[in-house]
Amino acid sequence: MFPISIGLSMGAAAMVARRIGEGDAARASAAAVQAILGGGAISLALGGARIVFARDLLVLLGASPALAATERNFTAIMLGRNTSVLLLFLINGIFRGAGDPARAMRARWLANLLNLVLDPVLIFGLGPVPALGLEGAAIATTFSRAVGVVYQLRQLADPRGLVVVRWRQARLNMSVLT
């Protein structure tokens, strides 16, 4: 998912930067929405397949059938819910393309700091939270990234940004991508 995420992020950054350079913030925002919709659709399709085939993927990578059976849940959580990874990278590309790398940095800080706090809590358990082991690490990481994406989406709705997304634009519009 990382190569796909990085590639889509670079493409989104280029589309947004081009529109910002042309002085057309409205088309930059429209391009951002289309990139998010496309990236979300791709990640959902890939994530669904990865959830279904998590055990098979582990075996394909060399895990024994017994190990694949016990680690299937971790793999399904990490690979199947990578929509948050893709969107975190993609939206950071949008911010960088708009010339606002500070927003991108803050989103990554938020996700990483939250992950640092949640990992030990969910792995080892703390207070009423049971120890979840490796699955806890996957849940903490996925949840933290999702919080980072929610933060990014709120930033995209901020009227003070160069790229201001209006979610009423959230319908397929291929002409924006040319």
Side-chain angles (χ1 to χ4, degrees):
M1 189 60 84
F2 283 103
I4 294 169
S5 301
I6 292 168
L8 290 174
S9 171
M10 290 175 11
M15 285 191 309
V16 169
R18 176 180 171 197
R19 301 300 180 224
I20 292 294
E22 293 170 346
D24 194 346
R27 286 193 69 200
S29 297
V33 169
Q34 294 305 302
I36 292 168
L37 290 175
I42 290 168
S43 66
L44 288 174
L46 290 174
R50 289 176 175 166
I51 290 171
V52 171
F53 298 110
R55 190 188 64 74
D56 299 324
L57 285 170
L58 286 171
V59 170
L60 184 66
L61 292 171
S64 69
L67 179 65
T70 60
E71 300 308 324
R72 182 216 172 277
N73 287 343
F74 170 81
T75 304
I77 293 167
M78 286 302 291
L79 296 180
R81 279 128 183 124
N82 264 336
T83 298
S84 59
V85 170
L86 188 137
L87 290 177
L88 193 66
F89 277 76
L90 179 70
I91 297 171
N92 275 348
I94 291 167
F95 288 137
R96 286 190 311 274
D100 196 355
R103 288 186 192 215
M105 179 181 57
R106 286 192 299 267
R108 294 295 297 268
W109 281 353
L110 174 64
N112 289 334
L113 289 173
L114 184 58
N115 192 41
L116 283 171
V117 171
L118 289 178
D119 261 340
V121 170
L122 294 178
I123 292 169
F124 303 114
L126 183 66
V129 178
L132 298 174
L134 199 53
E135 289 178 24
I139 293 167
T141 300
T142 302
F143 179 77
S144 299
R145 290 172 178 165
V147 169
V149 170
V150 169
Y151 171 81
Q152 289 174 320
L153 294 173
R154 288 197 52 170
Q155 294 297 305
L156 284 174
D158 183 353
R160 295 171 293 177
L162 286 173
V163 174
V164 181
V165 169
R166 299 289 175 239
W167 297 110
R168 65 179 175 268
Q169 301 167 313
R171 60 184 174 279
L172 189 60
N173 182 357
M174 295 301 285
S175 68
V176 170
L177 303 177
T178 58

